[in-house]
């Protein structure tokens, strides 16, 4: 994966926002790298063999972003935050769809199913979590975003602090409180 | 919890977390004080602080594994896998990019699942590689490369196709059956291309047939299946696993038997089935092999699916028996009964599209002839309407005759030499066959020519059918009937008269058959008297029941044309009794007789009985020939016309609509038969006063007639005339004039100056010109029309009355009062004498006469007459009929003019309401109603309302008639007067300039 300077990325984001599909395609790996820089480090042996490329999951998140109204992406952090929100909605939508319709298996479903299953180990009821998170965000927008970045986008404390522009201890404390509140709401 | 309270909770929580767990309870008690709720909150939240992994972010390595497993990022051969595109039984498909390529080459890479015997697959690939890369067809995705990954999985790189699976594509666009077949034919051509190179696909299914954005179907994975499946049918796999999609596999594949091109034919059959019926025939079958023994008909499946949606419903109703037969022939479980090649399957589909008989069906003559009639209906319609009606019945009657020949009817075989009979049958059938296979149906005139040339050629070429008089007679009779059905009366006469020469009078039923054909010819020439004479002699010879019934049916038809309705009924009754007892020709003859009988009874004004017969005909046709046959459409059309004549306009419209729908489904949107029905339907709409609905129907009818018959055919003139009427009623006078003039020109040329139809066009044009204020030309045309009508039709003719009535209106505008009054009075007296006290035409005549009386200054007489007119029309017509509101306007205007302001204005207001309610009401009357309502408003000193209404009327007049027309000027003058009285000199002056009014113009 080629390294992208923040300036080059902002340029790509702006071009994408202006409807340049090629820019979007080139951004995709960058976005993926942002979201999973931490994952790559933690993968150890696996990471050496596998060059991560955008999955259909991220791709769909991307489509949601691009498909919406043009947004101005001031910087990577902002964008990653938006992507985390999109990932959340992709997953939650997928669970809803899975509940609504039983028949008709396609490849994207299989892949998303696996991802959802992975999340479900940590949050058995993704829909209830989504609703609780919605309530939390109303009371405390910062905690809401923190949960999105940490849980749905898999951001590290360090990344989350950077994206939210707060100190790492603030993230650690906030994250702990957010989980307390969510656990109580979900009774898990 | 609100945000402020949460802030407090959160800050307490943050602080309590720094407190030693053992000291927390006391700390909380002190911090919360008396706020028990706050304390409970803090305590319960703290209780859910734990070190379990719930709500921890998922393991990133786990995510990575999922992603890795889906292969993205992997390198295979010279490609890098970008992302997964799809999943199949054999593995996953990825979007691949060539590594290090200067240009972005995107390919589809198929990565085969683990578990295949890679060496075996690769050896096979090396053997087939050259062959596979020789596949070059616009509908086949090219195979580019293949190999094995480092961990031993086979892969293949193919041209990347972006598209939707063919079933999804068709469903999403609700494609018509024809469009589906056209698409499917492209698929067939690709498969055939591969078969010619001995490459079998083996795994044809919708997900392997993608349709690109430009509508091109592309076949994926050609030959791949062969690489993965050993010749013995078993997968080249270590684990026992079924690789092929069983839903689309042929019986021989399911049995593990060797496959051939016939296997692809079978899979194409399933694909075709699915495209037609919207459902896969063997989906989820518990026993796939057993299910393949008895596939149900696609049309049945499609019908079963009807509630699923409108597209399915349409498909269900359009599926013909032919398509069922084609799909089921491709789906024959036994290879030797299947289509021998994809080409054969495709050829039958093409024949179906062109109304040709398909090969897959056991060919009976009746079937072939039914296709012949369907295909040649346009040609048949090139004759007059009479020929059309006759020809269909005629061909049908022949069907029974030929069927008897083909089946070697026993009695006749005993009579005649068997060998000669066979020769006769063969010759006739040979000719029939040639006729059926000739002639592209795409261009009518061209087709006439081709078919005609074929007949001419057959006539001139040597053939062993010559020499034996009765064999030659049979052949010539067939040719004669064919010429006749094309409306080519000269060659028909030549052939049929030769037949009569060849056959001795005493040669039994064969000679009588020929006589019967001759009578059909006479009827085509409208020589019903001659036909009846000859038919009398046929009937007197007491032929076999089938022949007798056909003869009586023909005579009944002729007698009706001669106005001898009672005798017609007697013949048709007798024919019906005979035909009902017959095996052959059976139901078709019975249906024809019922149809004829229905029409005769309707002529006898026994409409209920007549319509009952029509309905019986429809029911019998439906139960015998399916719900939507030609006969049903014809009978529905006749039934609709009868309803129309009874004034049951809503029923008529519905019935004709149904006939049109069937016709459209049977023969498409460009068929002459459909044009006629649409014309009838348009007429019904006009009679219902729904001119706006009538116009598009009539425009469509005209388009069809022109394209089928050429621009100068009398039928085109008929359509023009009806359309012009709609234009006229909608106030589009210029278009109406143009259409009437074209109609008149066609008729004068084709039918002569004194033909009834020409005169009607003359009358209509004259009347319209009067309305367009072209009085001199109008009067001239109408007087010419009246002169001929009086001379040809006699003094008490209704058509004459109509022209007189029209003329009086024109003369009135020319200030020839005395002539106008005498014409109007003559018209009314003809109407009263012929039509009784209440009739729409009488109402029209009275309305005209009242105008004359008004101009004469006989206001009380005029008002009385207008009242009579309005009452009559209110009784006869629906309240929403434009004629009713026009009468209201006429009476209201007159009353306002003569000071009866209250009643007059009330009528005008009601008329205005009716006009507005109708939306697109005729504009001239609306403009006039507005004008006079404004007059009444002005007299009541409602100047503002009056001004608004004058202005609206003025715009309407100007749009219809221009600034110089008297009506426009009258409203303009009234408006100027109003403005001046209100002191609005500036606007008044502007109007004077705009409408070129003199400075002191008075009304």
């Amino acid at each position: 994966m080629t390294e992208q300077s923040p300036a080059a990325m902002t340029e790509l984001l702006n071009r994408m926002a202006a409807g340049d599909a090629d820019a979007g395609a080139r951004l995709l790996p960058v976005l993926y790298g942002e979201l999973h820089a931490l994952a790559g480090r933690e993968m150890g042996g696996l990471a050496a063999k596998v060059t991560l490329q955008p999955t259909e999951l991220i791709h769909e998140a991307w489509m949601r972003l691009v498909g919406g109204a043009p947004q101005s992406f001031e910087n990577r952090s902002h964008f990653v935050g938006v992507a985390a929100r999109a990932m959340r909605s992709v997953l939650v939508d997928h669970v809803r769809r899975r509940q609504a319709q039983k028949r008709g298996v396609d490849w994207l479903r299989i892949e998303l199913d696996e991802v959802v299953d992975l999340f479900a180990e940590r949050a058995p009821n993704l829909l209830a979590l989504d609703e609780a998170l919605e309530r939390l965000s109303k009371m405390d927008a910062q905690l809401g975003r923190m949960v999105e970045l940490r849980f749905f986008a898999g951001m590290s404390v360090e990344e989350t602090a950077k994206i939210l522009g707060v100190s790492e201890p603030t993230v650690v404390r906030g994250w702990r409180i957010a989980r307390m509140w969510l656990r109580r709401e979900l009774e898990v | 919890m609100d945000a402020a309270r949460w802030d407090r909770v959160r800050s307490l929580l943050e602080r309590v977390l720094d407190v030693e767990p053992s000291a927390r309870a006391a700390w909380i008690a002190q911090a919360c004080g008396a706020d028990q709720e706050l304390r409970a909150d803090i305590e319960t939240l703290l209780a859910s602080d734990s070190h379990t992994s719930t709500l921890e972010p998922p393991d990133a390595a786990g995510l990575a594994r999922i992603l890795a497993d889906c292969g993205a990022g992997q390198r295979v051969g010279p490609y890098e896998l970008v992302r997964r595109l799809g999943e199949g039984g054999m593995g996953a498909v990825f979007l691949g990019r060539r590594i290090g390529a200067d240009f972005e080459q995107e390919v589809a890479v198929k990565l085969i699942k683990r578990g295949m015997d890679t060496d075996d697959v690769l050896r096979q690939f090396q053997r087939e590689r050259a062959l596979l890369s020789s596949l070059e067809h616009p509908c086949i995705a090219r195979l580019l490369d293949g190999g094995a990954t480092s961990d031993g999985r086979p892969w293949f790189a193919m041209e990347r196709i972006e598209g939707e699976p063919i079933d999804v594509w068709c469903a999403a666009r609700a494609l018509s059956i024809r469009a589906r077949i056209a698409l499917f034919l492209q698929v067939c051509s690709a498969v055939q291309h591969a078969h010619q190179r001995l490459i079998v696909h083996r795994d044809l299914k919708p997900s392997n047939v993608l349709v690109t954005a430009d509508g091109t179907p592309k076949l994926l994975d050609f030959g791949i299946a062969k690489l993965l499946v050993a010749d013995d049918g078993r997968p080249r796999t270590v684990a026992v696993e079924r690789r092929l999609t069983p839903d689309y596999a042929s019986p021989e594949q399911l049995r593990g038997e060797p496959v051939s091109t016939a296997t692809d034919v079978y899979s194409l059959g399933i694909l075709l089935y699915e495209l037609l019926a919207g459902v896969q025939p063997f989906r989820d079958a518990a026993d796939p092999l057993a299910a393949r023994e008895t596939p149900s008909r696609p049309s049945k499946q499609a019908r079963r699916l009807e509630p699923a949606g409108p597209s399915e419903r349409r498909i269900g109703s359009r599926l013909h028996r032919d398509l069922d037969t084609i799909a089921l022939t491709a789906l024959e479980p036994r290879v030797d009964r299947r289509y021998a090649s994809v080409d054969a399957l495709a050829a039958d589909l093409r024949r179906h599209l062109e109304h040709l008989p398909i090969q897959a069906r056991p060919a009976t003559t009746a079937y072939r002839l039914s296709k012949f009639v369907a295909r040649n209906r346009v040609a048949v319609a090139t004759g007059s309407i009479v020929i059309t009606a006759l020809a269909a019945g005629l061909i049908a009657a022949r069907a029974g005759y030929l069927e008897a020949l083909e089946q070697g009817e026993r009695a006749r075989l005993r009579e005649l030499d068997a060998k000669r009979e066979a020769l006769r049958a063969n010759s006739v059938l040979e000719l029939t066959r040639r006729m059926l296979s000739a002639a592209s149906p795409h261009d009518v005139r061209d087709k006439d020519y081709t078919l005609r040339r074929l007949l001419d050629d057959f006539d001139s070429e040597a053939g062993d059918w010559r020499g034996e008089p009765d064999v030659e007679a049979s052949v010539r009779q067939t040719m004669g009937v064919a010429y006749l059905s094309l409306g080519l009366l000269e060659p028909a006469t030549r052939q049929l008269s030769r037949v009569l020469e060849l056959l001795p009078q005493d040669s039994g039923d064969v000679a009588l058959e020929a006589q019967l054909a001759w009578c059909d010819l006479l009827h085509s020439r409208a020589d019903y008297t001659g036909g009846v004479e000859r038919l009398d002699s046929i009937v007197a010879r007491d032929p076999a029941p089938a022949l007798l019934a056909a003869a009586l049916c023909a005579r009944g038809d002729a007698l009706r044309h001669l106005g001898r309705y009672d005798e017609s009924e007697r013949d048709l009754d007798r024919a019906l009794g005979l035909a009902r007892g017959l095996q052959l020709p059976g139901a078709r003859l019975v249906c024809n007789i019922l149809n004829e009988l229905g029409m005769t009874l309707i002529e006898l004004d026994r409409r209920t009985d007549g319509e009952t017969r029509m309905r019986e005909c429809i029911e019998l046709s439906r139960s015998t020939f399916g719900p939507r046959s030609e006969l049903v459409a014809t009978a529905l059309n006749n039934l609709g016309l009868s309803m129309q004549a009874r004034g049951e306009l809503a029923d008529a419209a519905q019935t004709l609509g149904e006939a049109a729908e069937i016709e459209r489904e049977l023969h498409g949107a460009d068929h002459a038969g459909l044009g006629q029905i649409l014309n009838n339907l348009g007429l019904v709409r006009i009679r219902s006063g729904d001119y706006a609905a009538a116009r598009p129907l009539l425009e469509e009818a005209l388009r069809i007639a022109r394209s089928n018959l050429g621009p100068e055919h009398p039928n085109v003139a008929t359509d023009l005339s009806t359309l012009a009427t709609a234009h006229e009623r909608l106030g589009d006078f210029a278009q109406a004039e143009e259409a009437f003039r074209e109609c008149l020109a066609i008729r004068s040329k084709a039918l002569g100056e004194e033909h009834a139809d020409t005169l009607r066009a003359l009358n209509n044009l004259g009347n319209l010109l009067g309305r367009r204020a072209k009085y001199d030309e109008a009067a001239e045309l109408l007087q010419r029309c009246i002169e001929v009508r009086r001379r040809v039709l006699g003094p008490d003719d209704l058509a004459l009355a109509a022209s007189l009535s029209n003329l009086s209106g024109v003369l009135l505008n020319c200030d020839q009062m005395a002539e106008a009054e005498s014409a109007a009075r003559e018209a009314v007296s003809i109407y009263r004498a012929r039509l009784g006290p209440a009739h729409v035409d009488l109402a029209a005549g009275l309305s005209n006469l009242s105008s004359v009386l008004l101009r004469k200054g006989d206001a009380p007489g005029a008002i009385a007459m207008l009242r009579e007119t309005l009452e009559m029309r209110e009784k006869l017509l629906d309240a929403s009929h434009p004629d009713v509101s026009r009468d209201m306007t006429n009476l209201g205007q007159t009353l306002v003019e003569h000071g009866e302001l209250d009643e007059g204005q009330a009528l005008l207001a009601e008329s205005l309401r009716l006009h507005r309610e109708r939306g697109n009401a005729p504009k001239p009357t609306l403009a006039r109603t507005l004008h006079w309502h404004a007059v009444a408003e002005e007299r009541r000193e409602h100047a503002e309302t009056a001004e608004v209404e004058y202005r609206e009327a003025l715009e309407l007049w100007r749009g219809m008639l221009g600034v110089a027309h008297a009506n426009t000027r009258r409203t303009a003058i009234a408006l100027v007067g109003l403005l001046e009285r209100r002191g609005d000199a500036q606007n008044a002056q502007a109007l004077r300039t705009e409408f070129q009014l003199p400075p002191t113009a008075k009304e």
Side-chain angles (χ1 to χ4, degrees), chain B residues 701-977:
Chain B
L702 177 62
R703 182 191 66 76
I704 294 172
R706 275 187 179 139
S707 80
N708 281 309
L709 307 171
E712 296 193 350
H713 194 280
N715 286 5
V716 171
T718 307
D719 290 346
L720 276 166
S721 169
T722 322
L723 177 59
T725 307
H727 283 318
E728 180 181 358
R729 300 287 168 89
L730 286 166
D732 291 331
F733 292 150
Q735 278 177 281
E737 181 181 334
E738 195 183 329
F740 274 137
R741 281 197 194 277
E742 190 182 343
C743 168
L744 179 61
I746 294 173
R747 284 183 176 163
S748 302
K749 192 171 155 196
L751 308 173
E753 297 290 346
E754 297 198 354
H755 192 282
D757 293 348
T758 312
L759 292 173
R760 204 165 49 245
L762 196 60
N763 172 67
N764 291 341
L765 179 59
N767 184 39
L768 179 79
L769 290 172
R771 299 191 68 181
R772 299 203 75 192
K774 301 179 177 180
Y775 300 121
D776 292 344
E777 191 186 354
E780 186 200 321
L781 294 184
L782 288 169
Q783 273 154 350
R784 200 164 86 209
C785 180
I786 287 164
E787 185 269 313
V788 181
R789 278 184 168 169
R790 203 191 297 277
R791 177 157 49 77
V792 176
L793 304 171
D796 62 346
D797 187 79
L798 290 172
L800 172 63
S803 294
L804 285 165
S805 200
N806 292 337
L807 179 64
S808 83
V810 173
L811 293 175
L812 193 60
N813 282 305
C814 300
D815 279 331
Q816 301 181 30
M817 299 304 300
E819 293 88 338
E821 185 175 350
S822 95
R825 288 203 184 278
E826 188 181 351
V828 167
S829 75
I830 294 175
Y831 283 138
R832 278 205 208 277
R834 295 284 309 273
L835 303 173
H839 193 280
V840 283
D841 291 341
L842 175 57
L846 284 169
S847 169
N848 249 323
L849 182 52
S850 70
S851 308
V852 180
L853 294 178
L854 264 180
R855 285 288 288 276
K856 251 178 70 180
D858 179 4
I863 288 172
M865 217 155 262
L866 285 169
R867 281 193 206 281
E868 190 186 348
T869 310
L870 177 59
E871 269 167 37
M872 205 181 288
R873 286 222 174 101
E874 277 182 323
K875 197 159 62 186
L876 293 168
L877 303 171
D878 207 66
S880 67
H881 196 289
D883 285 353
V884 174
S885 46
R886 197 181 54 227
D887 285 344
M888 286 179 182
T889 298
N890 289 345
L891 183 56
Q893 166 186 348
T894 312
L895 289 168
V896 168
E897 282 178 297
H898 292 87
E900 301 275 354
L901 218 52
D902 289 342
E903 194 193 348
Q905 193 180 9
L907 280 164
L908 289 162
E910 176 63 7
S911 171
L912 206 50
R913 189 185 67 77
L914 289 169
H915 273 93
R916 303 261 195 231
E917 216 165 62
R918 261 201 313 274
N920 38 26
K923 287 183 239 163
T925 325
L926 174 59
R928 198 153 52 83
T929 312
L930 280 163
H931 177 96
W932 287 101
H933 195 263
V935 170
E937 290 284 10
E938 194 184 347
R939 296 211 181 135
R940 290 182 183 283
E941 317 237 315
H942 298 157
E944 278 171 31
T945 318
E947 184 184 339
V948 170
E949 287 176 351
Y950 277 138
R951 284 196 187 276
E952 189 183 347
L954 192 57
E955 281 318 301
L956 288 169
W957 287 130
R958 175 158 58 183
M960 281 179 288
L961 305 169
V963 289
H965 192 278
N967 289 345
T968 316
R969 290 171 65 87
R970 183 175 57 191
T971 302
I973 289 167
L975 181 55
V976 166

Side-chain angles (χ1 to χ4, degrees), chain B residues 178 181 185-186 188-189 323 326 342-358 441-442:
Chain B
R178 285 187 85 85
I181 294 174
L185 282 171
Q186 293 187 62
C188 287
S189 109
L323 291 176
I326 292 172
V342 178
D343 261 358
L345 165 62
D348 251 2
L349 284 170
R350 265 183 231 109
R351 297 171 75 80
H352 169 78
L353 289 181
E354 296 174 1
H355 295 304
L356 292 164
I358 59 171
H442 298 302

Side-chain angles (χ1 to χ4, degrees), chain B residues 92 136 165 178 285 337:
Chain B
E136 290 218 28
R178 285 187 85 85
R337 289 209 204 127

Side-chain angles (χ1 to χ4, degrees), chain B residues 975-1003:
Chain B
L975 181 55
V976 166
L978 173 72
L979 292 171
E980 283 173 350
R981 277 190 291 285
R982 294 177 71 195
D984 188 352
Q986 197 182 348
N987 277 323
Q989 188 50 48
L991 276 173
R992 279 189 194 283
T993 316
E994 190 178 355
F995 289 90
Q996 298 157 19
L997 303 179
T1000 55
K1002 284 278 176 280
E1003 208 169 317

